[in-house]
Amino acid sequence: MRSELKGRDLLSLRDLSRQEIELIFEATTELKTLAKMGHFPKLLDGKTLAMVFQKTSTRTRVSFEVAMAHLGGHALFLSANDLQLRIGETILDTARVLGRYVDGIMARVFAHQDVVDLAEGSRAPVINGLSDFTHPCQGLTDFYTILEHKGKLSGLTIAYVGDGNNVANSLIFGGTLLGLHVRLGTPSKYRPPDEVLKKASEFAAISGGSLEIFEDPRKAVQDADVVYTDTWVSMGQEKEKEERLKVFKPYQLSTDLLKHAKKDAIVMHCLPAHRGLEITDEVMDGPQSVIFDQAENRLHVQKAILALLL
Ligand code: CP
Ligand code: NVA
């Protein structure tokens, strides 16, 4: 697909414009519609994507691999443990080499700086498949899913309850770029970093969206169109598990909490979910949940991203 995104990296939604996000959504609709009719245009014939994983994954790994297969390309799964990274080869050198073999690199890392270094070293575009700072492919999928279910984005209120983590950061960047009112219900110690809040207020001033942070999850959820949560213990935070489970308990997305949202509010979770912790079975499997549509859309949105960038 020809586009101004060709050759660009996708490290964070803060690097995209509203028009570029809309372009990705248009391509997603086209590819999803074709796929539902059994058509898989071979837009990446002969192209290869390296997928570097420092952390475990179900959705990101499988959806990217299937996306490349649908588009006629090839995906290589590379566990960081099996690469020479393990014996100390630098990220930058790894990127310089991979970038000469493949047409794109998707990486899931701990430190965000690692995807920045990959992008610096690689000739081929780099896609962030989750870092400790942000999860842009998830964020794009989330807004695409909201658009499908609500028919619009601008002016909607999305409430995120729980940890101010990588997924929250993507929702904040994307939401304020796209003109949504983003509300966070999170304990003060777990708010997103100031750099995220500052960027969000710049985006909101242009888009007409907003960002508000509440300590009380009920206030965050009040009259929201979308209610979103994620794990209280992200990958790499296992040592803090005990404290986190205590602090976040009042932020559980339960039927009681959901009652404060609009009657037709949709419920979202990036998955994997910890049922009985951040979300109850009743809400996760209830009529307002679009969680598995959201998971499916990772495939369609990432096909668009790959077709536009590679
Ligand atoms: N949501 C998400 O990125 O899932 P995985 O960790 O399974 O890739
Ligand atoms: N916040 C979670 C998201 C997993 C997809 C984590 O980083 O582990």
Side-chain angles (χ1 to χ4, degrees), residues 53 56-61 108 129-130 135 138 167 235 270-272 298:
F53 282 90
T56 51
S57 167
T58 297
R59 279 144 290 271
T60 304
R61 177 178 174 178
R108 166 164 288 194
L130 180 146
H135 196 1
Q138 183 68 57
V167 169
M235 291 178 275
C270 62
L271 301 178
R298 289 292 297 278

Side-chain angles (χ1 to χ4, degrees), residues 84-147:
Q84 298 295 30
L85 282 168
R86 200 167 81 133
I87 63 149
E89 186 167 23
T90 66
I91 287 268
L92 210 55
D93 288 346
T94 304
R96 287 186 179 122
V97 174
L98 288 179
R100 288 175 183 237
Y101 295 143
V102 301
D103 304 283
I105 301 174
M106 188 276 292
R108 166 164 288 194
V109 300
F110 286 95
H112 186 72
Q113 188 60 40
D114 282 357
V115 282
V116 174
D117 289 349
L118 276 173
E120 190 191 325
S122 167
R123 284 178 181 174
V126 172
I127 299 168
N128 179 2
L130 180 146
S131 67
D132 285 356
F133 178 59
T134 191
H135 196 1
C137 299
Q138 183 68 57
L140 287 170
T141 302
D142 299 338
F143 291 107
Y144 185 79
T145 307
I146 296 169
L147 183 60

